[in-house]
Amino acid sequence: MEFVHFLKNPKKYEELGAKIPKGALLAGPPGTGKTLLAKATAGESGVPFLCLSGSDFMEMFVGVGPSRVRNLFQEARQCSPSIVFIDEIDAIGRARRGSFSGANAERESTLNQLLVEMDGFGTTSGVVVLAGTNRPEILDKALLRPGRFDRQITIDKPDIKGRDQIFQIYLKKIKLDHEPSYYSQRLAALTPGFAGADIANVCNEAALIAARGEGTQVTMEHFEAAIDRIIGGLEKRNKVCLFKFYITSR
């Protein structure tokens, strides 16, 4: 919401002599919604949104990565204020170790170009860079200093109230025999430590189990079976079937 306010009212900050923060690093475990949060920020602020993955900058050809970084920021400046989102930035933002051979040299030159574009000699304001990673500890220190990624936002797994709200979103897409609120609180209590992607997987798996069982609606039994499958994995029946075959044959 802080970045949304910056992008909606930039003059208010410029009149006081403040500079809009250049970027924010969204760090957290996989599946917690870092990409969704960046999309929501762009949609809420109503500015152009440019999205690329960190691996999109990596090529075997020399100079392709830095060229793509320059083109990306040039396009972002033309439609500023705008948001640039780099998903999985650890693909190019890994700490430099001084080895200049092959892919490492190309990755480090791409990182150097990104550092220059974010806070170099001739940068302009109005472009906010959001980046997502689940490995912030391996990023280069020059990338994390103030003036480049001013904000480092940790997005952790949701608590029971957060899981309840996430369940209500995904349950609306499923044909249930009760209202979503009837299931959400109990399912939130049954899924400690689940991230947003895990919760979406539970709802989808329950619908698949109901469809395989020729059910017309998804019930609580289907959700419990889906949670058991996600936590414990597929049920193995090989030994049981062999034992039953041995008993019946005798």
Side-chain angles (χ1 to χ4, degrees):
M1 293 307 297
E2 187 179 10
F3 277 95
V4 170
H5 200 261
F6 287 149
L7 292 167
K8 281 187 174 180
N9 308 290
K11 293 183 179 180
K12 181 182 293 185
Y13 298 91
E14 292 171 358
E15 288 173 356
L16 296 174
K19 294 182 179 179
I20 297 177
K22 294 287 183 66
L25 180 69
L26 307 177
T32 50
K34 299 182 288 294
T35 305
L36 288 175
L37 192 59
K39 288 181 180 178
T41 304
E44 191 73 21
S45 57
V47 299
F49 181 66
L50 307 175
C51 178
L52 277 178
S53 172
S55 59
D56 292 339
F57 298 105
M58 299 303 298
E59 291 285 352
M60 293 299 293
F61 303 104
V62 177
V64 172
S67 175
R68 288 182 177 173
V69 173
R70 285 192 295 269
N71 294 337
L72 174 66
F73 279 87
Q74 183 180 0
E75 185 180 354
R77 291 189 188 99
Q78 288 175 356
C79 56
S80 65
S82 60
I83 293 178
V84 173
F85 178 61
I86 304 175
D87 200 7
E88 303 298 343
I89 196 174
D90 50 272
I92 58 170
R94 192 170 299 179
R96 293 165 288 184
R97 303 187 185 278
S99 58
F100 295 96
S101 60
N104 285 334
E106 177 68 9
R107 180 179 58 79
E108 291 187 6
S109 62
T110 305
L111 174 59
N112 290 335
Q113 185 64 42
L114 180 62
L115 296 176
V116 171
E117 292 290 343
M118 289 191 69
D119 190 24
F121 193 76
T123 57
T124 55
S125 61
V127 178
V128 173
V129 183
L130 302 179
T133 181
N134 48 24
R135 302 178 65 190
E137 69 279 356
I138 69 170
L139 295 179
D140 196 276
K141 292 182 179 179
L143 199 62
L144 301 178
R145 74 159 176 81
R148 291 195 175 109
F149 284 110
D150 302 272
R151 306 283 190 273
Q152 297 181 32
I153 305 167
T154 301
I155 303 173
D156 209 348
K157 293 182 178 180
D159 57 5
I160 187 168
K161 292 182 179 179
R163 292 196 300 274
D164 182 7
Q165 295 172 0
I166 296 172
F167 264 115
Q168 290 188 23
I169 294 172
Y170 287 108
L171 289 174
K172 292 177 182 178
K173 305 175 183 179
I174 299 175
K175 190 175 182 181
L176 304 170
D177 59 344
H178 291 88
E179 293 294 322
S181 57
Y182 176 81
Y183 291 102
S184 60
Q185 291 184 355
R186 184 176 177 186
L187 290 173
L190 291 173
T191 53
F194 276 41
D198 300 322
I199 292 173
N201 192 25
V202 167
C203 296
N204 185 58
E205 194 66 38
L208 292 176
I209 292 172
R212 282 198 298 267
E214 303 296 334
T216 58
Q217 292 178 323
V218 183
T219 64
M220 195 65 202
E221 294 179 357
H222 299 136
F223 284 110
E224 291 174 350
I227 293 171
D228 291 340
R229 178 169 181 176
I230 291 171
I231 293 176
L234 286 171
E235 182 181 358
K236 295 183 179 179
R237 300 184 179 182
N238 297 337
K239 295 182 179 179
V240 177
C241 293
L242 289 173
F243 181 72
K244 287 182 178 178
F245 176 74
Y246 175 74
I247 294 297
T248 53
S249 63
R250 296 193 59 176

